[in-house]
Amino acid sequence: MPVFLEMKESDDIEISEVLKAQGLKLEDAERVSAFFPSAFCRIALSHTFNLGFSDTYCIEGKEGEFSFQEEPIYKLGIEVASEIYHNEPQLAEVFNCIVARSSEFNSVNNALNAGADIEGANFSPTNYSGYKTLGNKCGLFSQVVS
């Protein structure tokens, strides 16, 4: 998680590359970079506003929607974010840095700055772009060979 704070001026792909250099597989590094900000933001926003979040996400250049619930790293992000939000106030700077990276945060921030009433609003699926592995599922053979 400190990589998000250390690289707060970098884009998601650069963060993925650093996470990969630190030993994560590309698939995991991209998922941490993409899904942790969304997960952390959903925890933060759900404690502040009455908002509905989509259970799916989209990937630029790929058809269809993909389920967050089929992404273990997203679910881990929700657990970590909830734990930090409720029990680790000393990690607020890292938490807020991760939240601020999410498109959900940017959407809410833009709406509030424009004077919109977001209470009860629903998010459409988050759209991720620039990732090589999101939306791909590795079958048993791929896991054994790689």
Side-chain angles (χ1 to χ4, degrees), residues 48-71:
T48 308
F49 301 102
N50 176 27
L51 298 170
F53 297 100
S54 175
D55 293 331
T56 60
Y57 65 95
C58 299
I59 301 162
E60 190 174 304
K62 290 189 179 184
E63 283 193 39
E65 295 179 7
F66 303 89
S67 173
F68 279 117
Q69 293 309 309
E70 293 178 11
E71 296 288 353

Short mmCIF file of all heavy atoms in Angstrom, two decimals, residues 48-71:
data_model
loop_
_atom_site.label_atom_id
_atom_site.label_comp_id
_atom_site.label_asym_id
_atom_site.label_seq_id
_atom_site.Cartn_x
_atom_site.Cartn_y
_atom_site.Cartn_z
N THR A 48 -20.28 7.93 4.02
CA THR A 48 -20.55 9.36 3.94
C THR A 48 -21.85 9.67 3.20
O THR A 48 -22.57 10.59 3.58
CB THR A 48 -19.39 10.08 3.21
OG1 THR A 48 -18.15 9.70 3.84
CG2 THR A 48 -19.53 11.58 3.28
N PHE A 49 -22.16 8.89 2.17
CA PHE A 49 -23.32 9.15 1.33
C PHE A 49 -24.13 7.87 1.14
O PHE A 49 -23.62 6.77 1.27
CB PHE A 49 -22.88 9.63 -0.07
CG PHE A 49 -22.07 10.89 -0.06
CD1 PHE A 49 -20.69 10.83 -0.21
CD2 PHE A 49 -22.66 12.12 0.10
CE1 PHE A 49 -19.92 11.98 -0.21
CE2 PHE A 49 -21.91 13.28 0.11
CZ PHE A 49 -20.54 13.22 -0.05
N ASN A 50 -25.39 8.06 0.76
CA ASN A 50 -26.25 6.95 0.38
C ASN A 50 -26.13 6.79 -1.13
O ASN A 50 -26.80 7.47 -1.89
CB ASN A 50 -27.70 7.24 0.78
CG ASN A 50 -28.64 6.15 0.32
OD1 ASN A 50 -28.25 5.00 0.15
ND2 ASN A 50 -29.88 6.53 0.08
N LEU A 51 -25.23 5.92 -1.56
CA LEU A 51 -24.95 5.72 -2.98
C LEU A 51 -25.07 4.24 -3.34
O LEU A 51 -24.83 3.37 -2.51
CB LEU A 51 -23.51 6.17 -3.31
CG LEU A 51 -23.19 7.63 -3.09
CD1 LEU A 51 -21.69 7.87 -3.24
CD2 LEU A 51 -23.96 8.50 -4.07
N GLY A 52 -25.42 3.98 -4.57
CA GLY A 52 -25.46 2.61 -5.08
C GLY A 52 -24.27 2.37 -5.98
O GLY A 52 -23.95 3.21 -6.84
N PHE A 53 -23.61 1.26 -5.79
CA PHE A 53 -22.43 0.91 -6.59
C PHE A 53 -22.73 -0.29 -7.46
O PHE A 53 -23.37 -1.24 -7.02
CB PHE A 53 -21.24 0.59 -5.68
CG PHE A 53 -20.79 1.74 -4.85
CD1 PHE A 53 -21.17 1.85 -3.52
CD2 PHE A 53 -19.99 2.73 -5.39
CE1 PHE A 53 -20.77 2.92 -2.75
CE2 PHE A 53 -19.58 3.81 -4.63
CZ PHE A 53 -19.97 3.90 -3.30
N SER A 54 -22.23 -0.26 -8.68
CA SER A 54 -22.39 -1.38 -9.60
C SER A 54 -21.54 -2.56 -9.11
O SER A 54 -20.45 -2.37 -8.58
CB SER A 54 -21.94 -0.96 -11.00
OG SER A 54 -22.00 -2.07 -11.88
N ASP A 55 -22.04 -3.74 -9.34
CA ASP A 55 -21.29 -4.96 -9.00
C ASP A 55 -20.37 -5.39 -10.14
O ASP A 55 -19.69 -6.41 -10.03
CB ASP A 55 -22.26 -6.11 -8.70
CG ASP A 55 -23.05 -5.87 -7.43
OD1 ASP A 55 -22.55 -5.19 -6.53
OD2 ASP A 55 -24.20 -6.36 -7.35
N THR A 56 -20.37 -4.61 -11.21
CA THR A 56 -19.58 -4.99 -12.37
C THR A 56 -18.67 -3.84 -12.82
O THR A 56 -18.86 -2.70 -12.43
CB THR A 56 -20.49 -5.39 -13.55
OG1 THR A 56 -21.32 -4.28 -13.90
CG2 THR A 56 -21.34 -6.60 -13.21
N TYR A 57 -17.72 -4.20 -13.65
CA TYR A 57 -16.83 -3.22 -14.24
C TYR A 57 -16.67 -3.53 -15.73
O TYR A 57 -16.97 -4.63 -16.18
CB TYR A 57 -15.47 -3.18 -13.54
CG TYR A 57 -14.64 -4.43 -13.66
CD1 TYR A 57 -13.67 -4.55 -14.65
CD2 TYR A 57 -14.79 -5.49 -12.77
CE1 TYR A 57 -12.89 -5.70 -14.75
CE2 TYR A 57 -14.02 -6.64 -12.87
CZ TYR A 57 -13.08 -6.73 -13.86
OH TYR A 57 -12.30 -7.86 -13.98
N CYS A 58 -16.22 -2.54 -16.48
CA CYS A 58 -15.96 -2.69 -17.91
C CYS A 58 -14.48 -2.43 -18.18
O CYS A 58 -13.81 -1.76 -17.40
CB CYS A 58 -16.79 -1.68 -18.70
SG CYS A 58 -18.57 -1.88 -18.50
N ILE A 59 -14.03 -2.93 -19.31
CA ILE A 59 -12.65 -2.72 -19.73
C ILE A 59 -12.68 -2.17 -21.15
O ILE A 59 -13.29 -2.76 -22.04
CB ILE A 59 -11.84 -4.03 -19.68
CG1 ILE A 59 -11.87 -4.58 -18.27
CG2 ILE A 59 -10.42 -3.80 -20.16
CD1 ILE A 59 -11.50 -6.01 -18.18
N GLU A 60 -12.03 -1.04 -21.31
CA GLU A 60 -11.99 -0.41 -22.63
C GLU A 60 -11.41 -1.40 -23.63
O GLU A 60 -10.37 -2.01 -23.39
CB GLU A 60 -11.12 0.85 -22.56
CG GLU A 60 -11.19 1.69 -23.80
CD GLU A 60 -10.44 2.98 -23.63
OE1 GLU A 60 -10.74 3.74 -22.68
OE2 GLU A 60 -9.53 3.23 -24.44
N GLY A 61 -12.14 -1.58 -24.73
CA GLY A 61 -11.67 -2.48 -25.78
C GLY A 61 -12.18 -3.91 -25.65
O GLY A 61 -11.91 -4.74 -26.51
N LYS A 62 -12.90 -4.20 -24.56
CA LYS A 62 -13.45 -5.55 -24.38
C LYS A 62 -14.96 -5.44 -24.23
O LYS A 62 -15.47 -4.51 -23.61
CB LYS A 62 -12.88 -6.24 -23.14
CG LYS A 62 -11.44 -6.62 -23.28
CD LYS A 62 -10.98 -7.49 -22.13
CE LYS A 62 -9.52 -7.86 -22.32
NZ LYS A 62 -9.06 -8.78 -21.28
N GLU A 63 -15.66 -6.41 -24.79
CA GLU A 63 -17.11 -6.41 -24.70
C GLU A 63 -17.57 -6.98 -23.38
O GLU A 63 -16.92 -7.86 -22.80
CB GLU A 63 -17.72 -7.24 -25.83
CG GLU A 63 -17.70 -6.52 -27.16
CD GLU A 63 -18.56 -7.21 -28.18
OE1 GLU A 63 -19.65 -7.69 -27.83
OE2 GLU A 63 -18.12 -7.26 -29.34
N GLY A 64 -18.70 -6.49 -22.92
CA GLY A 64 -19.33 -7.04 -21.73
C GLY A 64 -18.87 -6.40 -20.44
O GLY A 64 -18.06 -5.47 -20.42
N GLU A 65 -19.46 -6.92 -19.37
CA GLU A 65 -19.13 -6.46 -18.03
C GLU A 65 -18.56 -7.64 -17.25
O GLU A 65 -18.87 -8.79 -17.53
CB GLU A 65 -20.38 -5.91 -17.34
CG GLU A 65 -20.90 -4.66 -18.01
CD GLU A 65 -22.15 -4.09 -17.36
OE1 GLU A 65 -22.58 -4.59 -16.29
OE2 GLU A 65 -22.71 -3.14 -17.93
N PHE A 66 -17.74 -7.31 -16.26
CA PHE A 66 -17.07 -8.32 -15.46
C PHE A 66 -17.44 -8.10 -14.00
O PHE A 66 -17.59 -6.97 -13.55
CB PHE A 66 -15.55 -8.22 -15.66
CG PHE A 66 -15.16 -8.35 -17.10
CD1 PHE A 66 -15.10 -7.24 -17.93
CD2 PHE A 66 -14.87 -9.59 -17.64
CE1 PHE A 66 -14.75 -7.35 -19.26
CE2 PHE A 66 -14.53 -9.72 -18.98
CZ PHE A 66 -14.47 -8.60 -19.79
N SER A 67 -17.55 -9.16 -13.25
CA SER A 67 -18.00 -9.09 -11.86
C SER A 67 -16.86 -8.80 -10.89
O SER A 67 -15.84 -9.49 -10.90
CB SER A 67 -18.66 -10.41 -11.46
OG SER A 67 -18.97 -10.42 -10.08
N PHE A 68 -17.06 -7.78 -10.04
CA PHE A 68 -16.10 -7.52 -8.97
C PHE A 68 -16.02 -8.71 -8.02
O PHE A 68 -14.97 -8.99 -7.47
CB PHE A 68 -16.49 -6.27 -8.18
CG PHE A 68 -16.10 -4.97 -8.82
CD1 PHE A 68 -17.08 -4.07 -9.21
CD2 PHE A 68 -14.77 -4.63 -9.00
CE1 PHE A 68 -16.72 -2.85 -9.77
CE2 PHE A 68 -14.41 -3.42 -9.57
CZ PHE A 68 -15.39 -2.52 -9.96
N GLN A 69 -17.13 -9.41 -7.83
CA GLN A 69 -17.16 -10.51 -6.87
C GLN A 69 -16.34 -11.71 -7.32
O GLN A 69 -16.04 -12.59 -6.52
CB GLN A 69 -18.61 -10.92 -6.58
CG GLN A 69 -19.39 -9.84 -5.85
CD GLN A 69 -18.67 -9.32 -4.62
OE1 GLN A 69 -18.23 -10.09 -3.76
NE2 GLN A 69 -18.50 -8.01 -4.53
N GLU A 70 -15.96 -11.74 -8.58
CA GLU A 70 -15.09 -12.81 -9.08
C GLU A 70 -13.62 -12.41 -9.02
O GLU A 70 -12.77 -13.13 -9.54
CB GLU A 70 -15.49 -13.17 -10.51
CG GLU A 70 -16.86 -13.82 -10.59
CD GLU A 70 -17.28 -14.14 -12.01
OE1 GLU A 70 -16.44 -14.06 -12.94
OE2 GLU A 70 -18.46 -14.49 -12.19
N GLU A 71 -13.34 -11.28 -8.40
CA GLU A 71 -11.98 -10.76 -8.30
C GLU A 71 -11.51 -10.81 -6.85
O GLU A 71 -11.87 -9.95 -6.04
CB GLU A 71 -11.92 -9.31 -8.82
CG GLU A 71 -12.23 -9.17 -10.29
CD GLU A 71 -11.12 -9.69 -11.18
OE1 GLU A 71 -10.03 -10.05 -10.68
OE2 GLU A 71 -11.33 -9.74 -12.40
#
